[in-house]
Amino acid sequence: MGAPRPTVVAVPLAALQGLAFGLSLIVAIGAQNAFVLRVGLRRTHVLPVVAVCALSDALLIAAGVGGLGTLVDRAPAVLAVARIGGAAFLLGYAAVAARRAWRPTGALTTEDGEAPARLWPVLATCLALTWLNPHVYLDTVVLLGSVAGTHGDQRWWFGAGAVAGSILWFAGLGYGARLLRPLFARPGAWRVLDAVIALVMAAIAVSLLLGL
Protein backbone atom coordinates (compact mmCIF):
# COMPACT_ATOMS: atom_id res chain seq x y z
CA MET A 1 0.00 0.00 0.00
CA GLY A 2 1.27 3.45 -0.85
CA ALA A 3 1.64 6.32 1.54
CA PRO A 4 -1.61 8.19 2.30
CA ARG A 5 -2.13 11.30 0.28
CA PRO A 6 -2.03 14.58 2.19
CA THR A 7 -5.39 16.17 2.79
CA VAL A 8 -5.90 19.37 0.84
CA VAL A 9 -8.12 21.89 2.55
CA ALA A 10 -9.92 23.99 -0.01
CA VAL A 11 -10.66 27.59 0.94
CA PRO A 12 -14.36 28.25 0.34
CA LEU A 13 -15.19 30.80 -2.33
CA ALA A 14 -17.01 32.84 0.31
CA ALA A 15 -13.72 33.45 2.14
CA LEU A 16 -12.06 34.78 -1.00
CA GLN A 17 -15.07 36.98 -1.68
CA GLY A 18 -14.90 38.26 1.90
CA LEU A 19 -11.19 39.00 1.44
CA ALA A 20 -11.85 41.04 -1.70
CA PHE A 21 -14.87 42.84 -0.24
CA GLY A 22 -13.08 43.63 3.02
CA LEU A 23 -10.11 45.11 1.18
CA SER A 24 -12.42 47.20 -1.00
CA LEU A 25 -13.82 48.83 2.15
CA ILE A 26 -10.56 49.64 3.94
CA VAL A 27 -8.09 50.43 1.15
CA ALA A 28 -9.58 53.88 0.50
CA ILE A 29 -7.78 56.79 2.15
CA GLY A 30 -9.36 57.52 5.51
CA ALA A 31 -8.60 58.73 9.02
CA GLN A 32 -7.45 55.34 10.25
CA ASN A 33 -5.26 54.59 7.24
CA ALA A 34 -3.64 58.02 7.37
CA PHE A 35 -2.77 57.49 11.02
CA VAL A 36 -1.31 54.03 10.43
CA LEU A 37 0.76 55.40 7.55
CA ARG A 38 2.22 58.12 9.74
CA VAL A 39 2.99 55.65 12.52
CA GLY A 40 4.67 53.35 9.99
CA LEU A 41 6.81 56.17 8.67
CA ARG A 42 7.88 57.09 12.18
CA ARG A 43 8.41 53.40 13.02
CA THR A 44 6.99 54.04 16.50
CA HIS A 45 4.71 51.38 18.02
CA VAL A 46 3.86 49.92 14.62
CA LEU A 47 2.99 46.43 15.88
CA PRO A 48 0.58 47.60 18.64
CA VAL A 49 -1.16 49.99 16.24
CA VAL A 50 -1.51 47.36 13.52
CA ALA A 51 -2.78 44.88 16.12
CA VAL A 52 -5.36 47.34 17.48
CA CYS A 53 -6.65 48.17 14.00
CA ALA A 54 -6.84 44.53 12.90
CA LEU A 55 -8.46 43.36 16.15
CA SER A 56 -10.97 46.20 16.05
CA ASP A 57 -11.90 45.29 12.50
CA ALA A 58 -12.21 41.63 13.47
CA LEU A 59 -14.62 42.50 16.29
CA LEU A 60 -16.69 44.77 14.06
CA ILE A 61 -16.80 42.21 11.26
CA ALA A 62 -17.84 39.47 13.69
CA ALA A 63 -20.59 41.74 15.01
CA GLY A 64 -21.81 42.44 11.49
CA VAL A 65 -21.77 38.80 10.44
CA GLY A 66 -23.56 37.93 13.69
CA GLY A 67 -26.43 40.26 12.84
CA LEU A 68 -25.66 43.37 14.88
CA GLY A 69 -25.89 45.47 11.73
CA THR A 70 -29.68 45.29 11.84
CA LEU A 71 -29.73 46.83 15.32
CA VAL A 72 -27.24 49.54 14.36
CA ASP A 73 -29.27 50.41 11.28
CA ARG A 74 -32.38 50.82 13.45
CA ALA A 75 -30.75 53.17 15.95
CA PRO A 76 -30.61 56.56 14.17
CA ALA A 77 -30.34 58.49 17.46
CA VAL A 78 -27.21 56.58 18.49
CA LEU A 79 -25.68 57.10 15.07
CA ALA A 80 -26.48 60.82 15.21
CA VAL A 81 -24.64 61.19 18.53
CA ALA A 82 -21.74 59.16 17.16
CA ARG A 83 -21.58 61.41 14.10
CA ILE A 84 -21.27 64.55 16.21
CA GLY A 85 -18.69 63.06 18.57
CA GLY A 86 -16.68 61.55 15.74
CA ALA A 87 -16.75 64.78 13.75
CA ALA A 88 -15.54 66.80 16.75
CA PHE A 89 -12.62 64.42 17.31
CA LEU A 90 -11.66 64.38 13.63
CA LEU A 91 -11.74 68.18 13.43
CA GLY A 92 -9.44 68.34 16.45
CA TYR A 93 -7.04 65.87 14.87
CA ALA A 94 -7.20 67.80 11.59
CA ALA A 95 -6.21 70.95 13.46
CA VAL A 96 -3.21 69.16 14.98
CA ALA A 97 -2.13 67.85 11.57
CA ALA A 98 -2.58 71.31 10.04
CA ARG A 99 -0.40 72.82 12.75
CA ARG A 100 2.30 70.22 12.01
CA ALA A 101 2.07 71.12 8.31
CA TRP A 102 2.36 74.82 9.10
CA ARG A 103 5.19 74.40 11.60
CA PRO A 104 6.92 71.09 10.78
CA THR A 105 9.41 69.47 13.11
CA GLY A 106 11.56 68.72 10.07
CA ALA A 107 12.82 65.28 11.05
CA LEU A 108 11.93 61.67 10.48
CA THR A 109 13.65 60.54 13.67
CA THR A 110 13.91 62.07 17.12
CA GLU A 111 17.50 63.22 16.70
CA ASP A 112 16.44 66.85 16.64
CA GLY A 113 15.22 66.63 20.21
CA GLU A 114 11.59 65.78 19.51
CA ALA A 115 10.32 63.43 22.21
CA PRO A 116 9.27 60.01 20.92
CA ALA A 117 5.56 59.32 21.01
CA ARG A 118 4.45 57.34 24.05
CA LEU A 119 2.56 54.09 23.53
CA TRP A 120 -0.69 54.78 25.35
CA PRO A 121 -1.48 58.15 23.74
CA VAL A 122 -0.76 56.59 20.34
CA LEU A 123 -3.08 53.66 21.05
CA ALA A 124 -5.76 55.98 22.46
CA THR A 125 -5.68 58.02 19.26
CA CYS A 126 -5.81 54.85 17.18
CA LEU A 127 -8.82 53.56 19.12
CA ALA A 128 -10.60 56.90 18.83
CA LEU A 129 -10.03 57.11 15.07
CA THR A 130 -11.41 53.58 14.77
CA TRP A 131 -14.37 53.49 17.13
CA LEU A 132 -15.54 57.12 16.99
CA ASN A 133 -16.03 57.03 13.23
CA PRO A 134 -19.66 56.13 12.39
CA HIS A 135 -18.59 55.19 8.86
CA VAL A 136 -16.85 52.19 10.41
CA TYR A 137 -20.14 50.88 11.74
CA LEU A 138 -22.06 51.62 8.56
CA ASP A 139 -19.45 50.02 6.29
CA THR A 140 -18.15 47.15 8.40
CA VAL A 141 -21.09 46.20 10.60
CA VAL A 142 -24.08 47.11 8.44
CA LEU A 143 -22.85 46.81 4.85
CA LEU A 144 -20.37 43.95 5.23
CA GLY A 145 -22.74 42.16 7.59
CA SER A 146 -25.55 42.42 5.05
CA VAL A 147 -23.38 41.05 2.25
CA ALA A 148 -22.15 38.24 4.50
CA GLY A 149 -25.75 37.31 5.22
CA THR A 150 -26.31 36.52 1.55
CA HIS A 151 -23.82 33.65 1.87
CA GLY A 152 -26.03 31.69 4.23
CA ASP A 153 -24.16 28.99 6.14
CA GLN A 154 -20.85 30.23 4.71
CA ARG A 155 -21.26 33.77 6.03
CA TRP A 156 -18.60 33.14 8.69
CA TRP A 157 -16.17 32.09 5.99
CA PHE A 158 -16.97 35.40 4.30
CA GLY A 159 -16.25 37.18 7.58
CA ALA A 160 -13.01 35.26 8.05
CA GLY A 161 -11.88 36.36 4.60
CA ALA A 162 -12.69 39.98 5.45
CA VAL A 163 -10.70 39.70 8.69
CA ALA A 164 -7.74 38.26 6.76
CA GLY A 165 -7.95 41.20 4.35
CA SER A 166 -7.88 43.64 7.25
CA ILE A 167 -4.80 42.00 8.78
CA LEU A 168 -2.99 41.98 5.44
CA TRP A 169 -3.82 45.60 4.73
CA PHE A 170 -2.86 47.11 8.07
CA ALA A 171 0.31 45.03 8.33
CA GLY A 172 1.29 46.00 4.79
CA LEU A 173 0.50 49.67 5.39
CA GLY A 174 2.24 49.88 8.75
CA TYR A 175 5.38 47.97 7.84
CA GLY A 176 5.46 48.87 4.16
CA ALA A 177 5.54 52.58 4.97
CA ARG A 178 9.27 52.26 5.69
CA LEU A 179 9.84 51.99 1.95
CA LEU A 180 8.86 55.66 1.74
CA ARG A 181 11.32 56.77 4.40
CA PRO A 182 13.90 58.12 1.91
CA LEU A 183 11.21 60.45 0.56
CA PHE A 184 10.13 61.55 4.02
CA ALA A 185 13.67 62.31 5.11
CA ARG A 186 12.89 65.75 3.72
CA PRO A 187 10.79 68.11 5.90
CA GLY A 188 8.80 69.24 2.86
CA ALA A 189 7.39 65.75 2.36
CA TRP A 190 6.12 65.72 5.94
CA ARG A 191 4.42 69.07 5.39
CA VAL A 192 2.60 67.65 2.37
CA LEU A 193 1.61 64.47 4.25
CA ASP A 194 0.31 66.37 7.26
CA ALA A 195 -1.57 68.77 5.01
CA VAL A 196 -3.22 65.84 3.22
CA ILE A 197 -4.06 64.21 6.57
CA ALA A 198 -5.61 67.46 7.79
CA LEU A 199 -7.73 67.73 4.63
CA VAL A 200 -8.83 64.09 4.84
CA MET A 201 -9.79 64.36 8.51
CA ALA A 202 -11.65 67.62 7.94
CA ALA A 203 -13.48 66.24 4.89
CA ILE A 204 -14.60 63.15 6.82
CA ALA A 205 -15.74 65.31 9.72
CA VAL A 206 -17.79 67.54 7.43
CA SER A 207 -19.33 64.50 5.74
CA LEU A 208 -20.33 63.16 9.17
CA LEU A 209 -21.96 66.45 10.13
CA LEU A 210 -23.83 66.56 6.83
CA GLY A 211 -25.00 63.00 7.36
CA LEU A 212 -23.35 61.66 4.22
Side-chain angles (χ1 to χ4, degrees):
M1 295 179 62
R5 295 181 179 179
T7 302
V8 177
V9 179
V11 178
L13 178 60
L16 298 178
Q17 292 173 334
L19 174 66
F21 190 80
L23 286 173
S24 71
L25 291 179
I26 63 175
V27 166
I29 296 176
Q32 190 183 47
N33 286 340
F35 181 77
V36 175
L37 175 62
R38 199 172 200 282
V39 167
L41 287 168
R42 288 283 183 182
R43 293 200 294 189
T44 53
H45 315 304
V46 179
L47 178 58
V49 167
V50 169
V52 165
C53 291
L55 180 59
S56 297
D57 260 19
L59 293 174
L60 290 166
I61 291 169
V65 175
L68 186 62
T70 303
L71 296 178
V72 173
D73 201 29
R74 294 178 180 177
V78 174
L79 285 178
V81 173
R83 286 180 187 276
I84 296 174
F89 177 81
L90 290 174
L91 285 175
Y93 195 90
V96 172
R99 184 179 63 181
R100 286 198 305 259
W102 183 258
R103 299 180 62 183
T105 59
L108 185 59
T109 64
T110 59
E111 294 176 357
D112 63 342
E114 181 188 2
R118 292 179 297 172
L119 175 60
W120 293 114
V122 170
L123 292 184
T125 301
C126 183
L127 287 168
L129 289 173
T130 301
W131 293 91
L132 292 181
N133 185 357
H135 285 312
V136 171
Y137 300 96
L138 295 175
D139 290 345
T140 307
V141 179
V142 178
L143 179 58
L144 191 145
S146 299
V147 176
T150 64
H151 289 76
D153 293 339
Q154 290 197 324
R155 66 185 185 278
W156 289 106
W157 278 109
F158 184 91
V163 170
S166 177
I167 294 173
L168 290 173
W169 170 254
F170 286 120
L173 183 63
Y175 288 101
R178 66 184 60 190
L179 299 176
L180 299 176
R181 284 176 63 84
L183 172 63
F184 284 90
R186 295 176 294 178
W190 280 101
R191 299 189 70 173
V192 172
L193 176 63
D194 283 323
V196 170
I197 290 176
L199 290 175
V200 169
M201 301 291 184
I204 296 175
V206 171
S207 72
L208 290 176
L209 293 176
L210 294 178
L212 298 179

mmCIF file of all heavy atoms in Angstrom, residues 51-85:
data_model
loop_
_atom_site.group_PDB
_atom_site.id
_atom_site.type_symbol
_atom_site.label_atom_id
_atom_site.label_comp_id
_atom_site.label_asym_id
_atom_site.label_seq_id
_atom_site.Cartn_x
_atom_site.Cartn_y
_atom_site.Cartn_z
ATOM 1 N N ALA A 51 -1.989 45.866 15.381
ATOM 2 C CA ALA A 51 -2.782 44.878 16.120
ATOM 3 C C ALA A 51 -4.122 45.461 16.555
ATOM 4 O O ALA A 51 -5.166 44.801 16.448
ATOM 5 C CB ALA A 51 -2.000 44.384 17.335
ATOM 6 N N VAL A 52 -4.117 46.701 17.044
ATOM 7 C CA VAL A 52 -5.361 47.343 17.478
ATOM 8 C C VAL A 52 -6.324 47.515 16.301
ATOM 9 O O VAL A 52 -7.522 47.235 16.407
ATOM 10 C CB VAL A 52 -5.063 48.700 18.140
ATOM 11 C CG1 VAL A 52 -6.332 49.541 18.258
ATOM 12 C CG2 VAL A 52 -4.451 48.489 19.511
ATOM 13 N N CYS A 53 -5.806 47.965 15.169
ATOM 14 C CA CYS A 53 -6.651 48.167 13.995
ATOM 15 C C CYS A 53 -7.232 46.846 13.491
ATOM 16 O O CYS A 53 -8.433 46.746 13.198
ATOM 17 C CB CYS A 53 -5.855 48.834 12.878
ATOM 18 S SG CYS A 53 -5.397 50.546 13.206
ATOM 19 N N ALA A 54 -6.381 45.826 13.401
ATOM 20 C CA ALA A 54 -6.842 44.530 12.897
ATOM 21 C C ALA A 54 -7.832 43.883 13.859
ATOM 22 O O ALA A 54 -8.855 43.332 13.435
ATOM 23 C CB ALA A 54 -5.645 43.608 12.665
ATOM 24 N N LEU A 55 -7.549 43.954 15.165
ATOM 25 C CA LEU A 55 -8.455 43.365 16.151
ATOM 26 C C LEU A 55 -9.788 44.106 16.180
ATOM 27 O O LEU A 55 -10.852 43.479 16.292
ATOM 28 C CB LEU A 55 -7.803 43.388 17.535
ATOM 29 C CG LEU A 55 -8.635 42.812 18.686
ATOM 30 C CD1 LEU A 55 -8.994 41.355 18.412
ATOM 31 C CD2 LEU A 55 -7.886 42.935 20.016
ATOM 32 N N SER A 56 -9.732 45.420 16.082
ATOM 33 C CA SER A 56 -10.974 46.203 16.048
ATOM 34 C C SER A 56 -11.818 45.821 14.847
ATOM 35 O O SER A 56 -13.041 45.639 14.959
ATOM 36 C CB SER A 56 -10.647 47.700 16.014
ATOM 37 O OG SER A 56 -9.978 48.112 17.184
ATOM 38 N N ASP A 57 -11.176 45.701 13.696
ATOM 39 C CA ASP A 57 -11.902 45.288 12.500
ATOM 40 C C ASP A 57 -12.493 43.896 12.668
ATOM 41 O O ASP A 57 -13.627 43.637 12.244
ATOM 42 C CB ASP A 57 -10.965 45.317 11.288
ATOM 43 C CG ASP A 57 -11.158 46.565 10.451
ATOM 44 O OD1 ASP A 57 -11.733 47.532 10.990
ATOM 45 O OD2 ASP A 57 -10.725 46.587 9.286
ATOM 46 N N ALA A 58 -11.719 42.989 13.273
ATOM 47 C CA ALA A 58 -12.210 41.629 13.470
ATOM 48 C C ALA A 58 -13.464 41.621 14.349
ATOM 49 O O ALA A 58 -14.436 40.907 14.059
ATOM 50 C CB ALA A 58 -11.118 40.763 14.092
ATOM 51 N N LEU A 59 -13.452 42.426 15.415
ATOM 52 C CA LEU A 59 -14.619 42.502 16.292
ATOM 53 C C LEU A 59 -15.824 43.087 15.573
ATOM 54 O O LEU A 59 -16.956 42.597 15.705
ATOM 55 C CB LEU A 59 -14.282 43.335 17.528
ATOM 56 C CG LEU A 59 -13.250 42.737 18.490
ATOM 57 C CD1 LEU A 59 -12.906 43.733 19.592
ATOM 58 C CD2 LEU A 59 -13.775 41.446 19.095
ATOM 59 N N LEU A 60 -15.595 44.137 14.789
ATOM 60 C CA LEU A 60 -16.692 44.767 14.059
ATOM 61 C C LEU A 60 -17.246 43.843 12.977
ATOM 62 O O LEU A 60 -18.459 43.768 12.767
ATOM 63 C CB LEU A 60 -16.203 46.079 13.440
ATOM 64 C CG LEU A 60 -15.907 47.209 14.432
ATOM 65 C CD1 LEU A 60 -15.124 48.326 13.754
ATOM 66 C CD2 LEU A 60 -17.200 47.753 15.022
ATOM 67 N N ILE A 61 -16.357 43.147 12.297
ATOM 68 C CA ILE A 61 -16.796 42.207 11.261
ATOM 69 C C ILE A 61 -17.600 41.076 11.883
ATOM 70 O O ILE A 61 -18.657 40.687 11.363
ATOM 71 C CB ILE A 61 -15.587 41.656 10.484
ATOM 72 C CG1 ILE A 61 -14.965 42.765 9.626
ATOM 73 C CG2 ILE A 61 -15.984 40.469 9.602
ATOM 74 C CD1 ILE A 61 -13.623 42.403 9.030
ATOM 75 N N ALA A 62 -17.120 40.543 13.008
ATOM 76 C CA ALA A 62 -17.841 39.472 13.692
ATOM 77 C C ALA A 62 -19.225 39.950 14.131
ATOM 78 O O ALA A 62 -20.213 39.218 14.023
ATOM 79 C CB ALA A 62 -17.038 38.983 14.895
ATOM 80 N N ALA A 63 -19.297 41.196 14.603
ATOM 81 C CA ALA A 63 -20.589 41.744 15.009
ATOM 82 C C ALA A 63 -21.533 41.870 13.813
ATOM 83 O O ALA A 63 -22.724 41.560 13.908
ATOM 84 C CB ALA A 63 -20.389 43.107 15.674
ATOM 85 N N GLY A 64 -20.979 42.309 12.687
ATOM 86 C CA GLY A 64 -21.806 42.442 11.490
ATOM 87 C C GLY A 64 -22.293 41.105 10.979
ATOM 88 O O GLY A 64 -23.478 40.941 10.647
ATOM 89 N N VAL A 65 -21.395 40.133 10.916
ATOM 90 C CA VAL A 65 -21.773 38.795 10.445
ATOM 91 C C VAL A 65 -22.783 38.170 11.398
ATOM 92 O O VAL A 65 -23.680 37.437 10.986
ATOM 93 C CB VAL A 65 -20.529 37.897 10.299
ATOM 94 C CG1 VAL A 65 -20.930 36.473 9.925
ATOM 95 C CG2 VAL A 65 -19.586 38.463 9.244
ATOM 96 N N GLY A 66 -22.649 38.476 12.698
ATOM 97 C CA GLY A 66 -23.557 37.928 13.691
ATOM 98 C C GLY A 66 -24.927 38.574 13.709
ATOM 99 O O GLY A 66 -25.808 38.130 14.452
ATOM 100 N N GLY A 67 -25.109 39.653 12.940
ATOM 101 C CA GLY A 67 -26.428 40.258 12.837
ATOM 102 C C GLY A 67 -26.605 41.569 13.562
ATOM 103 O O GLY A 67 -27.709 42.116 13.585
ATOM 104 N N LEU A 68 -25.535 42.112 14.160
ATOM 105 C CA LEU A 68 -25.659 43.367 14.884
ATOM 106 C C LEU A 68 -25.974 44.536 13.958
ATOM 107 O O LEU A 68 -26.519 45.555 14.392
ATOM 108 C CB LEU A 68 -24.367 43.655 15.665
ATOM 109 C CG LEU A 68 -24.380 44.871 16.588
ATOM 110 C CD1 LEU A 68 -25.437 44.706 17.677
ATOM 111 C CD2 LEU A 68 -23.005 45.089 17.221
ATOM 112 N N GLY A 69 -25.650 44.384 12.674
ATOM 113 C CA GLY A 69 -25.894 45.466 11.729
ATOM 114 C C GLY A 69 -27.345 45.901 11.677
ATOM 115 O O GLY A 69 -27.654 47.080 11.489
ATOM 116 N N THR A 70 -28.262 44.964 11.857
ATOM 117 C CA THR A 70 -29.682 45.293 11.841
ATOM 118 C C THR A 70 -30.035 46.236 12.979
ATOM 119 O O THR A 70 -30.794 47.198 12.801
ATOM 120 C CB THR A 70 -30.525 44.017 11.939
ATOM 121 O OG1 THR A 70 -30.183 43.140 10.863
ATOM 122 C CG2 THR A 70 -32.008 44.340 11.871
ATOM 123 N N LEU A 71 -29.463 45.970 14.166
ATOM 124 C CA LEU A 71 -29.731 46.834 15.316
ATOM 125 C C LEU A 71 -29.121 48.211 15.126
ATOM 126 O O LEU A 71 -29.736 49.227 15.459
ATOM 127 C CB LEU A 71 -29.169 46.190 16.591
ATOM 128 C CG LEU A 71 -29.803 44.848 17.008
ATOM 129 C CD1 LEU A 71 -29.116 44.306 18.255
ATOM 130 C CD2 LEU A 71 -31.296 45.019 17.253
ATOM 131 N N VAL A 72 -27.895 48.253 14.596
ATOM 132 C CA VAL A 72 -27.241 49.542 14.358
ATOM 133 C C VAL A 72 -28.029 50.372 13.360
ATOM 134 O O VAL A 72 -28.208 51.584 13.519
ATOM 135 C CB VAL A 72 -25.798 49.324 13.863
ATOM 136 C CG1 VAL A 72 -25.158 50.645 13.457
ATOM 137 C CG2 VAL A 72 -24.965 48.651 14.945
ATOM 138 N N ASP A 73 -28.525 49.717 12.324
ATOM 139 C CA ASP A 73 -29.271 50.412 11.283
ATOM 140 C C ASP A 73 -30.585 50.964 11.806
ATOM 141 O O ASP A 73 -31.142 51.911 11.247
ATOM 142 C CB ASP A 73 -29.527 49.457 10.121
ATOM 143 C CG ASP A 73 -29.817 50.189 8.822
ATOM 144 O OD1 ASP A 73 -29.316 51.316 8.663
ATOM 145 O OD2 ASP A 73 -30.554 49.651 7.977
ATOM 146 N N ARG A 74 -31.092 50.380 12.888
ATOM 147 C CA ARG A 74 -32.375 50.819 13.447
ATOM 148 C C ARG A 74 -32.197 51.758 14.628
ATOM 149 O O ARG A 74 -33.152 52.000 15.367
ATOM 150 C CB ARG A 74 -33.183 49.595 13.886
ATOM 151 C CG ARG A 74 -33.618 48.698 12.728
ATOM 152 C CD ARG A 74 -34.380 47.486 13.224
ATOM 153 N NE ARG A 74 -34.799 46.630 12.110
ATOM 154 C CZ ARG A 74 -35.435 45.468 12.257
ATOM 155 N NH1 ARG A 74 -35.727 45.032 13.471
ATOM 156 N NH2 ARG A 74 -35.773 44.739 11.205
ATOM 157 N N ALA A 75 -31.007 52.267 14.834
ATOM 158 C CA ALA A 75 -30.747 53.173 15.955
ATOM 159 C C ALA A 75 -30.224 54.505 15.448
ATOM 160 O O ALA A 75 -29.054 54.849 15.649
ATOM 161 C CB ALA A 75 -29.747 52.537 16.921
ATOM 162 N N PRO A 76 -31.073 55.283 14.757
ATOM 163 C CA PRO A 76 -30.610 56.558 14.175
ATOM 164 C C PRO A 76 -30.143 57.556 15.223
ATOM 165 O O PRO A 76 -29.235 58.352 14.969
ATOM 166 C CB PRO A 76 -31.847 57.068 13.423
ATOM 167 C CG PRO A 76 -33.007 56.379 14.088
ATOM 168 C CD PRO A 76 -32.493 55.036 14.497
ATOM 169 N N ALA A 77 -30.738 57.533 16.419
ATOM 170 C CA ALA A 77 -30.340 58.485 17.459
ATOM 171 C C ALA A 77 -28.904 58.215 17.910
ATOM 172 O O ALA A 77 -28.110 59.144 18.091
ATOM 173 C CB ALA A 77 -31.294 58.394 18.653
ATOM 174 N N VAL A 78 -28.571 56.943 18.078
ATOM 175 C CA VAL A 78 -27.214 56.581 18.487
ATOM 176 C C VAL A 78 -26.206 56.974 17.416
ATOM 177 O O VAL A 78 -25.133 57.512 17.708
ATOM 178 C CB VAL A 78 -27.118 55.071 18.770
ATOM 179 C CG1 VAL A 78 -25.676 54.668 19.065
ATOM 180 C CG2 VAL A 78 -28.026 54.703 19.936
ATOM 181 N N LEU A 79 -26.573 56.732 16.163
ATOM 182 C CA LEU A 79 -25.682 57.095 15.069
ATOM 183 C C LEU A 79 -25.500 58.607 14.974
ATOM 184 O O LEU A 79 -24.418 59.091 14.634
ATOM 185 C CB LEU A 79 -26.224 56.555 13.747
ATOM 186 C CG LEU A 79 -26.061 55.044 13.526
ATOM 187 C CD1 LEU A 79 -26.699 54.633 12.199
ATOM 188 C CD2 LEU A 79 -24.591 54.652 13.536
ATOM 189 N N ALA A 80 -26.559 59.358 15.270
ATOM 190 C CA ALA A 80 -26.476 60.821 15.214
ATOM 191 C C ALA A 80 -25.494 61.341 16.266
ATOM 192 O O ALA A 80 -24.676 62.222 15.988
ATOM 193 C CB ALA A 80 -27.857 61.432 15.431
ATOM 194 N N VAL A 81 -25.572 60.792 17.476
ATOM 195 C CA VAL A 81 -24.638 61.192 18.534
ATOM 196 C C VAL A 81 -23.211 60.812 18.150
ATOM 197 O O VAL A 81 -22.262 61.586 18.351
ATOM 198 C CB VAL A 81 -25.034 60.531 19.867
ATOM 199 C CG1 VAL A 81 -23.967 60.801 20.930
ATOM 200 C CG2 VAL A 81 -26.383 61.048 20.335
ATOM 201 N N ALA A 82 -23.071 59.617 17.581
ATOM 202 C CA ALA A 82 -21.740 59.165 17.162
ATOM 203 C C ALA A 82 -21.182 60.054 16.061
ATOM 204 O O ALA A 82 -19.976 60.327 16.020
ATOM 205 C CB ALA A 82 -21.806 57.715 16.686
ATOM 206 N N ARG A 83 -22.034 60.512 15.177
ATOM 207 C CA ARG A 83 -21.576 61.405 14.097
ATOM 208 C C ARG A 83 -21.009 62.694 14.670
ATOM 209 O O ARG A 83 -19.948 63.166 14.269
ATOM 210 C CB ARG A 83 -22.735 61.729 13.152
ATOM 211 C CG ARG A 83 -23.143 60.599 12.236
ATOM 212 C CD ARG A 83 -24.300 61.048 11.339
ATOM 213 N NE ARG A 83 -24.839 59.951 10.563
ATOM 214 C CZ ARG A 83 -24.344 59.524 9.406
ATOM 215 N NH1 ARG A 83 -23.267 60.118 8.909
ATOM 216 N NH2 ARG A 83 -24.896 58.521 8.754
ATOM 217 N N ILE A 84 -21.716 63.282 15.634
ATOM 218 C CA ILE A 84 -21.271 64.550 16.208
ATOM 219 C C ILE A 84 -19.968 64.359 16.975
ATOM 220 O O ILE A 84 -19.006 65.133 16.827
ATOM 221 C CB ILE A 84 -22.365 65.124 17.131
ATOM 222 C CG1 ILE A 84 -23.618 65.456 16.308
ATOM 223 C CG2 ILE A 84 -21.852 66.366 17.853
ATOM 224 C CD1 ILE A 84 -24.796 65.893 17.154
ATOM 225 N N GLY A 85 -19.907 63.318 17.807
ATOM 226 C CA GLY A 85 -18.688 63.063 18.570
ATOM 227 C C GLY A 85 -17.515 62.735 17.672
ATOM 228 O O GLY A 85 -16.401 63.235 17.880
#
